[in-house]
Amino acid sequence: MNNTRIINIKTISTEGMGDLSFFEELKDIPFEIKRIYYTYNVPVQTKRGGHAHKDLQQILFCPYGKIKVLLDNGYEKEEFTLSSPNNGLLIGNNIWRDMIWEQENSVLCVAASKLYSENDYIRDYKEFLELIRK
Ligand code: T46
């Protein structure tokens, strides 16, 4: 799928003291960060998402737990599992996404290229397919 990919987030390990992971806008990810949000206290097996974005780039990462991400560009589907704090999933425009919580207390963190705007969401799958097939 074109505008989605997993990246390894740079990580510094200090012996006996753990790991530190980081990414910087326009260096490690291909956009400027305008917003950070995170989702937590989600019961296992809950499915969130069920939408696409018209004009938004995001990196999803899971600093704790295990979250499955199902992506669909209207032609093909791909599945990723975020279960390592140093993996990030870049998602571009017009990708339908569902996220399934697979482990208790999993946390999904997201850095996004734009401020929140409900107008940017496509929450109807039929409308999504019509839009991308135009
Ligand atoms: C996405 C996936 C990965 C805000 O008011 N501001 C915000 O910045 C966000 C992200 C959400 N909201 C409101 C909108 C809804 O009333 O919070 C409520 C829950 O949002 P939603 O149902 O869209 O949450 P998810 O977990 O289905 O999706 C979220 C993001 O909204 C979405 O952009 O790509 O995480």
Side-chain angles (χ1 to χ4, degrees):
M1 208 176 275
N2 273 350
N3 51 354
T4 67
R5 69 191 155 96
I6 285 277
I7 62 161
N8 284 321
I9 300 174
K10 286 179 187 162
T11 300
I12 310 279
S13 300
T14 307
E15 210 184 324
M17 292 175 65
D19 302 323
L20 183 156
S21 297
F22 63 94
F23 55 86
E24 295 181 320
E25 60 181 11
L26 302 176
K27 266 170 84 178
D28 304 303
I29 58 166
F31 58 85
E32 290 182 27
I33 299 168
K34 285 273 169 39
R35 177 166 53 110
I36 306 276
Y37 62 90
Y38 35 98
T39 314
Y40 50 98
N41 290 335
V42 179
V44 170
Q45 291 312 323
T46 300
K47 192 198 266 192
R48 298 187 61 115
H51 60 256
H53 285 280
K54 296 174 207 158
D55 183 19
L56 186 70
Q57 297 187 67
Q58 304 198 101
I59 178 169
L60 280 57
F61 56 103
C62 175
Y64 179 83
K66 189 173 174 193
I67 297 167
K68 199 196 283 178
V69 184
L70 311 168
L71 301 180
D72 175 355
N73 66 4
Y75 298 96
E76 48 177 338
K77 297 178 196 239
E78 254 185 278
E79 193 178 298
F80 296 93
T81 297
L82 294 175
S83 58
S84 165
N86 61 6
N87 274 171
L89 177 61
L90 287 166
I91 308 181
N93 300 337
N94 297 326
I95 305 284
W96 192 267
R97 83 274 328 256
D98 289 306
M99 301 84 69
I100 299 170
W101 262 249
E102 297 206 320
Q103 189 184 311
E104 208 175 328
N105 295 323
S106 298
V107 180
L108 180 65
C109 292
V110 181
S113 64
K114 296 262 169 85
L115 301 181
Y116 172 72
S117 163
E118 187 57 37
N119 288 336
D120 188 62
Y121 285 74
I122 310 164
R123 293 192 185 271
D124 182 285
Y125 189 70
K126 236 178 102 199
E127 189 190 321
F128 165 69
L129 290 180
E130 281 164 13
L131 188 93
I132 53 165
R133 278 162 196 191
K134 252 186 208 163

